[in-house]
Amino acid sequence: MLFDTHAHLNDTQYNEDLEEVIERAQTEGVSNMVIVGFDRPTIQRAMELVERYDFMFACVGWHPVDAIDMTDEDLVWIEELTSHPKVVAIGEMGLDYHWDKSPKDIQKEVFRKQIRLAKKVKLPIVIHNREATADIVEILKEEEAEEVGGIMHCFSGSPEVAKECVKMNFYISLGGPVTFKNAKKPKEVAAEIPLEKLLIETDCPYLAPHPYRGKRNEPGYVKLVAEQIAEIKGLTFEEVAKATTQNAKKLFGIK
C-alpha cells in the first residue's frame, strides 16, 4: 500500500540487519521502494538489491557533493545501467551549496549532463537541492527538464516554489521533516500541493520522522509521513497511501 520513493538501503548502516529492516517495512505496509545510488559503490549496491528483491527498484546518478569525482566513464556507465528493466529514474542529481567539496560550476555541469542523459534515455530525474533553489529551477528550465519530469526529493522549500516545480512536470516528495513540530514549510506544502502531485519517502537512513528524529531512519517509517499528510489534508491514511503509491507507479512506469 505504501511506496517509499527514496531509500538508501544500500548504505553501510544496514549491513548488520537489512533483512529485519525489510521485514519491518513490509509489516507496516510498504509494498515498493526505490533504492537510490549516487556514486560507484552505492550504485553497485543498489543494483545488487534490486536484483535480489522484486519489490525494489533503482535510481542511479551522481550526487552534487561528489560532482568533482564524476568522470565521463561514470556517465557512460550510468547510461548503460538505464537499460536494466528495474532502473526507473536517474539521480539523485542537483546542487548542494551547503558542502564545498565540489565547486558550483562543476556541480552545475554534472547536473546538466545528467538531465541531458535522462532526456536521451527517457527516464524521470530525482533532484537533490540544498541551499540552491534559484539555480536549480533555472537549470531545470534551461535544460527543458519538464520533458521527462521527476521528483523534487525531500522538498524543503516554500509552497510557491513547489507550485513552480509542479508546473515543470515534477512531483513534490515529502519525508520525515513534515512530521517535525517546528517544520512550517513542509506542512504548508503538504496542505497546498494537490495530492495527485505528492509523493512520500524516507531518505533513510537520514531524516527519521517524529518520534524517531535523530535515530536511524528506515522504510517502515514512511507510514508516519503518510499519516501526517493525511492529518494535514483532512484525508484518511488510506487515501494518501493509495494516491501516493499510484503517483509513484505512474511516474516510474511500474505496473
Side-chain angles (χ1 to χ4, degrees), residues 67-255:
I68 197 166
D69 299 325
M70 194 186 85
T71 65
D72 290 340
E73 289 77 15
D74 292 323
L75 197 64
V76 169
W77 179 55
I78 290 168
E79 180 174 356
E80 289 168 352
L81 288 174
T82 63
S83 64
H84 191 290
K86 296 194 79 178
V87 172
V88 295
I90 296 183
E92 57 190 281
M93 65 175 79
L95 302 173
D96 190 314
Y97 292 170
H98 182 77
W99 306 105
D100 59 1
K101 177 184 173 184
S102 296
K104 291 180 181 179
D105 59 333
I106 293 176
Q107 288 193 40
K108 290 176 181 179
E109 180 187 358
V110 167
F111 186 18
R112 289 181 189 275
K113 283 180 177 177
Q114 291 185 89
I115 296 171
R116 290 166 192 169
L117 172 58
K119 290 167 70 175
K120 180 181 177 183
V121 299
K122 296 180 169 54
L123 283 177
I125 58 179
V126 175
I127 304 298
H128 171 101
N129 171 19
R130 192 160 185 191
E131 300 168 18
T133 300
D135 285 354
I136 279 182
V137 170
E138 181 182 17
I139 288 172
L140 290 174
K141 287 179 177 176
E142 288 176 358
E143 295 293 335
E144 299 179 339
E146 67 185 85
E147 185 182 310
V148 289
I151 302 174
M152 304 307 289
H153 141 65
C154 210
F155 188 81
S156 60
S158 67
E160 291 71 31
V161 172
K163 289 170 186 174
E164 191 173 3
C165 294
V166 166
K167 285 180 187 171
M168 292 191 290
N169 197 24
F170 281 82
Y171 288 85
I172 306 300
S173 186
L174 297 173
V178 77
T179 70
F180 299 167
K181 289 184 170 63
N182 59 350
K184 187 179 172 205
K185 281 184 181 176
K187 293 182 193 300
E188 290 174 348
V189 167
E192 293 189 36
I193 297 302
L195 185 57
E196 61 266 23
K197 296 306 293 186
L198 287 178
L199 297 172
I200 55 176
E201 64 169 89
T202 56
D203 196 22
C204 64
Y206 316 107
L207 294 173
H210 177 80
Y212 303 104
R213 188 173 183 179
K215 297 185 170 70
R216 185 189 70 170
N217 201 358
E218 55 183 70
Y221 297 167
V222 79
K223 183 178 184 180
L224 297 165
V225 177
E227 288 173 343
Q228 180 68 66
I229 293 171
E231 184 179 325
I232 290 168
K233 285 191 163 299
L235 300 170
T236 65
F237 162 75
E238 288 76 16
E239 286 172 316
V240 172
K242 182 180 179 183
T244 52
T245 295
Q246 286 177 339
N247 294 346
K249 288 186 171 182
K250 180 181 175 185
L251 174 67
F252 295 129
I254 296 170
K255 294 274 191 306

Side-chain angles (χ1 to χ4, degrees), residues 41-80:
T42 59
I43 289 171
Q44 287 168 337
R45 179 69 174 138
M47 297 308 296
E48 290 168 9
L49 289 172
V50 303
E51 290 278 359
R52 193 188 314 167
Y53 300 99
D54 60 358
F55 52 89
M56 292 186 188
F57 299 85
C59 170
V60 297
W62 214 267
H63 200 286
V65 170
D66 301 312
I68 197 166
D69 299 325
M70 194 186 85
T71 65
D72 290 340
E73 289 77 15
D74 292 323
L75 197 64
V76 169
W77 179 55
I78 290 168
E79 180 174 356
E80 289 168 352

